[in-house]
Amino acid sequence: MHGWSGKLLIIDLTNEKFSESGIHKDYLPTYLGGRGLAVRLLWDLIEPGTDPISPNNSLILATGPLTGYPLPSSGKLVIAAKSPLTNGYGDGNIGTKASVEIRKAGYDAIVIKGAARRPVVLYIERGKVDFRSADDLWGLGTHETEDKLIREFGKDVGTLLIGPAGEKLVKYATVLSEYGRSAGRPGMGAVMGVKKVKAVVVRGDELPEPADRGELIKLGSEALKKVKESKNYDFWIRQGTMATIIWSNTNSVLPTYNFREGVFEHADKISGDVMEKMKISQKGCPNCNMPCGMMVEARTDMGVTKAELDYENVAMLGSNIGLDDLDKVSYLNNLADDLGLDTISLGSNIAFAMEAAEKKLIDEKIEWGDFRAAVDLVRKIIEREGVGALLAEGVKYASEKLGDDAARFAIHVKGLEVSAYDCHTAPGMALAYGTSPIGAHHKDAWLISVEIQMGREGRLSYNPEKAEKLVWMQNIRGGMFESLTTCRLPWVEVGLDLEYYPKLLKAATGVAFTWDDIYTIAHRIYTLIRAFWVREYLAAGLDWSRELDIPPRRWFEESLTKGPFAGAKLEIDKYHTLLDKYYELRGWDHRGIPRRSTLEKLGLDFVIPSLEKVTELSP
Ligand code: PTT
Ligand code: SF4
């Protein structure tokens, strides 16, 4: 076998044991790795209806057949589990040395089962796992924890860790690494927390041998050169994802005041240009020559802080909560990193609280743009104090508890808070959020960029071609990139030719995957993820229906009041037409449940008995 090691490391925390096992021979060619491998393992390993906040959940760290090789931005890792926030499939993608070290230690994936009795650091090398006490680290922020891990293990190891949010099981706690890389929006940090794993530290020695080393190096260095020669390269290096703030505002999609509006009157104060003036350094993931980690130094009356800024963080903790000062936004961003909280869900929960306070549904006084109140709210979320106890569970839960009309301004899909694109004027992007396999996230499809290029009329239309484009985009981004596992930004941001990827895959694995093969694998992954959601929902006694694929009510019920699209909102009947088209393309029925024929066609026959136990399948 080339390109993959073909091996899993299985760690049993409850019994402090570990074992290695071969990966089923069919899994790698049919799921590739990363997300594909993760969902297949979760399907196999988790009992239907498992409580995600229990030792019975499994945490999967999955690399792919391109991870770590010398080619563009190949230092990515998928972290997956059943999500505590949504009760469905959850994952995130992190760029960190840990991804490369896992491969170098000889594993395609690591499965972490059970729960430790006391906090542990898992120290992993090829064929060896140490269960070391983390008593001295429990309770510390991620920055201090990382400092201590580096002192103990040196700088050449890979680290994955949680902060107090993960320890206290906040439902949108993430896994952090390298002072600001964060992954696993749907609560992967809480899964690590319930297992009492404070950190995973990995040291490897050698990557799996590729099928054609010469070809891989030739193609990889050619692609790295193309990235640097791209016309967008210089601007990307200056601003990274932060350039999107002004783009989103100009195009009326910048989330503002809890997604009421798409334009923020102070967008210029939180823009990429302002960030450039605060920038002190820049960092990137392994093997990346277009590093986008913009490190800034921020000054507030709370002191001087460093933070790594990205578009999503700044939009959600800036315009979405009415905060117009990039220093203060950076402070909140750094606080989220240190505590191990997802910035997107955090920004949504703060905005939800601000709106609930405005509507007098909660006692706390927290006004739009109130920085001090926002900082205090973060503390309350971690301590589960007052309204923080509701918000630690996410906006869906908080809105259900508050009742009244709170559900109208809880901005989520399937429990995962919407990431930073307002969709009052973007039906295709709304569909992307509605059908994203982890709840509302842009990772799988950035359809907004395509819609905006269509001009006003095209953008507002419900043309079925949007559903077709969405399926294609999901298959490339959420199927191929999440499984390879490499960063998609060389393609998305600087236009690296997609044709490199099947060629690199062949050089790595020796298998000539055609585009048809890649689309089929992606389609298989999406369908298995959907089957997982249905199985888990119904096993937990929850209903499953197409209503779960509908984005927030606000976009259908309340028009924008400002900007070039004032008066615009989505239309529910037309949205359903798009959704029907999407289901047809995926081979799912009117409820969004995969048809028996689709499961058979994709080689997912093993799913049929489990689904038949809980629901009737359409032919
Ligand atoms: C991702 C989500 C994003 S998406 C952002 S900013 W983005 C937020 N970043 C956070 C952060 O920082 N700190 C924090 N405490 N929480 C945060 N939550 C948010 O998490 C990230 C980059 C980015 S920056 C993007 S778009 C691309 N995402 C990729 C992806 O998903 N897959 C892939 N194959 N390549 C990608 N490349 C880019 O990676 P989640 P990272 Mg992240 C401070 O994890 O759960 O997927 O959520 O991983 O290493 O930080 O890289 O404008
Ligand atoms: Fe990491 Fe950014 Fe490079 Fe992607 S472009 S690999 S997210 S540094």
Side-chain angles (χ1 to χ4, degrees):
M1 173 172 296
H2 294 287
W4 296 286
S5 67
K7 258 202 247 162
L8 275 185
L9 174 66
I10 301 167
I11 300 177
D12 170 359
L13 291 162
T14 311
N15 299 303
E16 287 208 1
K17 288 197 169 136
F18 69 93
S19 59
E20 289 181 349
S21 101
I23 298 177
H24 190 293
K25 69 174 176 31
D26 294 342
Y27 285 11
L28 295 170
T30 48
Y31 298 96
L32 283 183
R35 175 185 262 181
L37 182 58
V39 64
R40 179 66 214 239
L41 292 173
L42 284 176
W43 180 275
D44 292 349
L45 292 170
I46 292 186
E47 279 296 316
T50 292
D51 176 358
I53 293 282
S54 78
N56 299 332
N57 202 353
S58 289
L59 186 72
I60 316 278
L61 312 176
T63 68
L66 295 191
T67 311
Y69 287 140
L71 54 94
S73 310
S74 69
K76 290 278 186 181
L77 174 75
V78 168
I79 304 182
K82 182 172 174 183
S83 161
L85 187 60
T86 67
N87 268 304
Y89 173 78
D91 72 18
N93 189 309
I94 192 163
T96 162
K97 279 204 292 292
S99 54
V100 185
E101 294 305 313
I102 290 172
R103 289 263 286 171
K104 283 164 76 179
Y107 306 110
D108 290 320
I110 298 177
V111 176
I112 305 179
K113 297 163 91 167
R117 267 182 292 281
R118 299 198 55 84
V120 286
V121 171
L122 297 174
Y123 176 69
I124 300 168
E125 286 180 9
R126 189 180 291 268
K128 161 181 160 179
V129 179
D130 282 352
F131 299 79
R132 302 194 182 185
S133 167
D135 282 345
D136 58 330
L137 299 176
W138 203 249
L140 298 185
T142 65
H143 298 336
E144 198 178 344
T145 305
E146 188 95 46
D147 287 344
K148 291 196 172 208
L149 293 174
I150 288 174
R151 274 204 293 278
E152 185 173 350
F153 297 99
K155 277 195 172 161
D156 58 337
V157 292
T159 55
L160 298 166
L161 47 130
I162 57 167
E167 294 170 13
K168 291 175 187 262
L169 312 180
V170 176
K171 295 282 171 69
Y172 42 94
T174 54
V175 177
L176 274 284
S177 185
E178 299 173 12
Y179 308 95
R181 304 269 104 180
S182 159
R185 293 196 51 218
M188 299 302 103
V191 176
M192 220 160 127
V194 79
K195 294 184 175 300
K196 292 231 164 357
V197 177
K198 179 69 179 177
V200 176
V201 178
V202 200
R203 192 193 307 272
D205 44 53
E206 204 175 0
L207 286 167
E209 186 58 28
D212 187 340
R213 178 175 283 274
E215 180 69 0
L216 187 75
I217 290 172
K218 183 180 134 279
L219 282 169
S221 54
E222 192 183 297
L224 282 159
K225 196 157 161 268
K226 291 264 186 235
V227 165
K228 276 216 154 175
E229 286 168 0
S230 115
K231 66 177 181 345
N232 295 342
Y233 186 79
D234 290 345
F235 189 53
W236 172 260
I237 286 295
R238 274 174 45 204
Q239 296 206 349
T241 60
M242 280 295 290
T244 313
I245 293 281
I246 292 301
W247 178 85
S248 285
N249 197 53
T250 309
N251 291 300
S252 193
V253 295
L254 182 68
T256 303
Y257 302 116
N258 200 23
F259 288 85
R260 277 179 183 162
E261 306 291 348
V263 290
F264 184 44
E265 58 277 28
H266 305 296
D268 56 333
K269 295 188 189 160
I270 56 167
S271 68
D273 289 349
V274 178
M275 180 279 298
E276 278 197 66
K277 293 188 188 113
M278 296 163 64
K279 188 154 103 177
I280 49 165
S281 62
Q282 191 147 347
K283 64 181 198 189
C285 311
N287 297 331
C288 181
N289 66 344
M290 47 179 282
C292 68
M294 303 293 160
M295 296 302 300
V296 298
E297 194 166 78
R299 288 163 199 279
T300 65
D301 55 6
M302 320 270 285
V304 179
T305 9
K306 289 185 184 148
E308 181 179 337
L309 298 185
D310 263 305
Y311 165 72
E312 301 289 328
N313 308 351
V314 173
M316 295 305 290
L317 295 168
S319 51
N320 199 46
I321 67 167
L323 185 57
D324 64 359
D325 178 329
L326 197 56
D327 285 279
K328 291 176 179 167
V329 173
S330 304
Y331 182 92
L332 284 172
N333 190 151
N334 181 58
L335 189 60
D337 286 348
D338 197 36
L339 294 169
L341 281 168
D342 174 48
T343 49
I344 296 172
S345 289
L346 179 64
S348 195
N349 277 277
I350 296 173
F352 175 84
M354 288 174 168
E355 189 157 350
E358 184 184 70
K359 293 186 157 73
K360 306 213 177 336
L361 294 178
I362 57 173
D363 297 332
E364 278 83 352
K365 295 201 180 357
I366 167 160
E367 293 183 358
W368 295 110
D370 184 339
F371 170 60
R372 282 287 183 163
V375 172
D376 195 45
L377 191 60
V378 179
R379 183 189 59 75
K380 284 183 171 159
I381 289 171
I382 297 290
E383 298 305 330
R384 292 181 183 262
E385 182 189 312
V387 74
L390 297 184
L391 298 175
E393 301 287 309
V395 296
K396 176 172 181 284
Y397 177 90
S399 68
E400 285 162 3
K401 289 290 163 197
L402 287 182
D404 209 20
D405 71 346
R408 296 181 65 158
F409 59 91
I411 311 298
H412 70 91
V413 176
K414 301 182 187 71
L416 182 68
E417 289 79 4
V418 174
S419 59
Y421 299 95
D422 182 81
C423 290
H424 279 89
T425 56
M429 189 67 210
L431 184 69
Y433 279 135
T435 60
S436 151
I438 60 166
H441 195 30
H442 61 287
K443 172 210 301 267
D444 291 79
W446 200 43
L447 206 68
I448 194 102
S449 62
V450 176
E451 284 190 300
I452 284 172
Q453 282 167 21
M454 289 175 163
R456 193 179 177 99
E457 204 182 317
R459 168 176 171 178
L460 295 174
S461 85
Y462 293 76
N463 187 327
E465 279 175 18
K466 289 191 178 179
E468 285 167 19
K469 190 82 186 170
L470 172 60
V471 170
W472 174 79
M473 217 179 233
Q474 287 181 334
N475 285 348
I476 297 289
R477 293 169 60 118
M480 185 183 82
F481 280 108
E482 290 314 301
S483 304
L484 283 179
T485 299
T486 71
C487 178
R488 62 172 184 261
L489 297 185
W491 167 59
V492 175
E493 300 290 349
V494 299
L496 183 68
D497 193 342
L498 275 180
E499 291 301 334
Y500 273 109
Y501 292 95
K503 288 184 196 158
L504 287 163
L505 198 48
K506 168 135 194 290
T509 64
V511 184
F513 291 93
T514 63
W515 277 112
D516 273 353
D517 296 333
I518 291 171
Y519 293 140
T520 302
I521 291 169
H523 189 27
R524 180 178 298 122
I525 294 169
Y526 274 82
T527 300
L528 184 56
I529 293 180
R530 175 52 64 114
F532 182 86
W533 275 90
V534 175
R535 182 186 88 170
E536 295 306 313
Y537 254 56
L538 296 177
L542 302 166
D543 288 335
W544 185 269
S545 81
R546 64 189 282 137
E547 293 302 310
L548 287 159
D549 290 335
I550 299 198
R553 290 167 62 184
R554 165 154 280 168
W555 295 337
F556 297 95
E557 294 176 0
E558 298 168 35
S559 307
L560 294 175
T561 69
K562 292 186 191 142
F565 288 89
K569 62 180 178 184
L570 296 179
E571 295 175 61
I572 191 72
D573 292 351
K574 291 184 178 169
Y575 179 85
H576 275 294
T577 322
L578 264 189
L579 187 57
D580 280 335
K581 180 71 190 172
Y582 177 87
Y583 289 160
E584 181 196 320
L585 292 165
R586 282 262 174 244
W588 302 351
D589 70 12
H590 65 285
R591 302 165 296 173
I593 296 179
R595 294 177 176 279
R596 173 191 287 274
S597 49
T598 306
L599 294 167
E600 285 167 351
K601 199 171 79 196
L602 293 170
L604 298 173
D605 309 60
F606 61 92
V607 162
I608 295 172
S610 305
L611 286 193
E612 274 180 343
K613 268 192 210 147
V614 288
T615 188
E616 203 174 309
L617 287 178
S618 305

